[in-house]
Amino acid sequence: MSKDICHCIVLRKASRRVSSYYDEALAPLGVNIAQFSLLRNIDRMAPVSLTDLGARVELDRSTVGRNAKVLERMGLVDIRPGKDQREATLTVSDAGRVILKAGGPLWDSVQEDIEARLGPDGIDRLRELLAVL
Amino acid sequence: MSKDICHCIVLRKASRRVSSYYDEALAPLGVNIAQFSLLRNIDRMAPVSLTDLGARVELDRSTVGRNAKVLERMGLVDIRPGKDQREATLTVSDAGRVILKAGGPLWDSVQEDIEARLGPDGIDRLRELLAVL
DNA sequence: TCATTTTTCGGGTATATACCCACGAACGCG
DNA sequence: CGCGTTCGTGGGTATATACCCGAAAAATGA
């Protein structure tokens, strides 16, 4: 029975596998897909608080905080207090923008590989299935 | 364009979300889905080496080693040297078998929820799509 | 204005995951 | 039977992720 296979584990494996494709492609830039994606989100929302960013990327606030700190240490992101003294305001630095620009084509390439492998409607069908989970 | 959305991130989000469903269901037993699944695999392959187990679950050997050590600390798995003195031989303990038995119905329940949400052919289509990645 | 509650972080702790390297065991070839 | 090679772990390091708790700031209500 195929029903014996854990749906969760299938997903986790695929997630790890696919992540590694993106990670390899982005490796020349020294960032992985989680970092690159977070950087993009910060760029789109900047200046943004950890809470808002966490909501957007569907990650725990503390996770986003720690991940952002790594980006800060790399010099790709600036973290400063906002008007609201509680808030940490995130913005992409110049170095971060360089990475964003350089990573675009690398990311595109993997996206296209995935699309090629899934076929014309594959992406849409996959996304539809994942959306209900 | 839906093509702007990172296929990898979609997968990672779904993976985290679905994992949390299983984690919640298994929480009364004090194990998460990664641990439960690993325990099941050890049970099926016992006695098994870290290398073989890693190959089976598609995880790095060192990752499996560390995860197994957590299970050992919980008393669910025994790790002993095998005939080949290099090998760590994993077997499920009595306490581990209790968890496996108790977890079965909890796991089934989440599996069914997922299947219900994906519809009759959903699982097969999803699995098919993920398989080519 | 002041006390209470809510919000926002940060740190502690723990697991999951991977890569690299060192060490010791096993094995195969002269 | 040695010796070099291969194999299997373990430990170090680093990121990703989550949950809980405490501190500090802001908002709210009397």
Side-chain angles (χ1 to χ4, degrees):
Chain A
M1 271 290 195
S2 80
K3 291 291 174 57
D4 283 353
I5 299 170
C6 184
H7 309 323
C8 182
I9 297 300
V10 172
L11 253 176
R12 289 170 69 102
K13 281 184 187 172
S15 170
R16 289 196 301 266
R17 210 160 47 234
V18 171
S19 291
S20 78
Y21 301 155
Y22 286 80
D23 287 349
E24 279 170 40
L26 294 170
L29 301 182
V31 296
N32 61 32
I33 182 58
Q35 296 167 337
F36 187 70
S37 172
L38 188 61
L39 195 59
R40 278 199 163 168
N41 277 289
I42 294 171
D43 190 42
R44 277 198 277 266
M45 304 179 75
V48 63
S49 73
L50 289 178
T51 298
D52 289 348
L53 186 57
R56 159 76 158 253
V57 302
E58 290 176 43
L59 284 173
D60 189 86
R61 210 187 20 236
S62 71
T63 299
V64 173
R66 284 174 165 88
N67 293 359
K69 198 160 296 183
V70 174
L71 293 178
E72 187 192 30
R73 220 181 308 142
M74 291 178 177
L76 308 182
V77 161
D78 292 320
I79 305 183
R80 302 205 202 81
K83 278 171 253 170
D84 184 332
Q85 287 304 115
R86 292 170 302 184
E87 251 182 39
T89 316
L90 309 185
T91 49
V92 176
S93 72
D94 290 343
R97 266 182 288 278
V98 170
I99 295 294
L100 281 174
K101 194 147 195 168
L106 304 178
W107 178 83
D108 285 343
S109 157
V110 185
Q111 287 278 106
E112 283 164 22
D113 284 353
I114 303 273
E115 286 157 22
R117 240 182 296 181
L118 287 177
D121 313 317
I123 290 291
D124 294 328
R125 281 188 289 139
L126 176 59
R127 202 118 71 193
E128 205 176 309
L129 289 163
L130 294 181
V132 306
L133 292 178
Chain B
M1 268 294 192
S2 81
K3 292 291 174 54
D4 283 353
I5 299 169
C6 184
H7 309 323
C8 182
I9 297 299
V10 172
L11 253 176
R12 289 170 69 102
K13 282 184 186 172
S15 171
R16 289 196 301 265
R17 212 160 46 235
V18 171
S19 291
S20 77
Y21 301 156
Y22 286 80
D23 287 349
E24 278 169 41
L26 294 170
L29 301 181
V31 296
N32 61 32
I33 183 59
Q35 296 167 336
F36 187 70
S37 173
L38 188 61
L39 196 59
R40 277 199 163 167
N41 276 290
I42 294 171
D43 189 44
R44 278 198 277 267
M45 304 178 75
V48 63
S49 74
L50 289 179
T51 298
D52 290 349
L53 186 56
R56 159 76 158 252
V57 301
E58 292 176 42
L59 284 173
D60 189 87
R61 214 186 17 236
S62 71
T63 298
V64 173
R66 283 174 165 85
N67 293 357
K69 196 159 296 182
V70 174
L71 292 178
E72 186 192 31
R73 219 179 311 140
M74 291 178 178
L76 308 182
V77 161
D78 292 320
I79 305 183
R80 303 204 201 81
K83 277 170 251 170
D84 183 333
Q85 287 304 115
R86 293 171 299 184
E87 251 182 38
T89 317
L90 308 185
T91 49
V92 176
S93 71
D94 290 342
R97 266 182 288 278
V98 170
I99 295 292
L100 282 175
K101 194 145 197 172
L106 303 179
W107 178 83
D108 285 344
S109 156
V110 186
Q111 287 278 107
E112 284 163 22
D113 284 353
I114 303 272
E115 286 157 22
R117 241 183 295 181
L118 287 177
D121 312 317
I123 289 291
D124 294 328
R125 281 188 288 140
L126 177 58
R127 202 118 70 193
E128 206 176 307
L129 288 164
L130 294 180
V132 307
L133 292 178

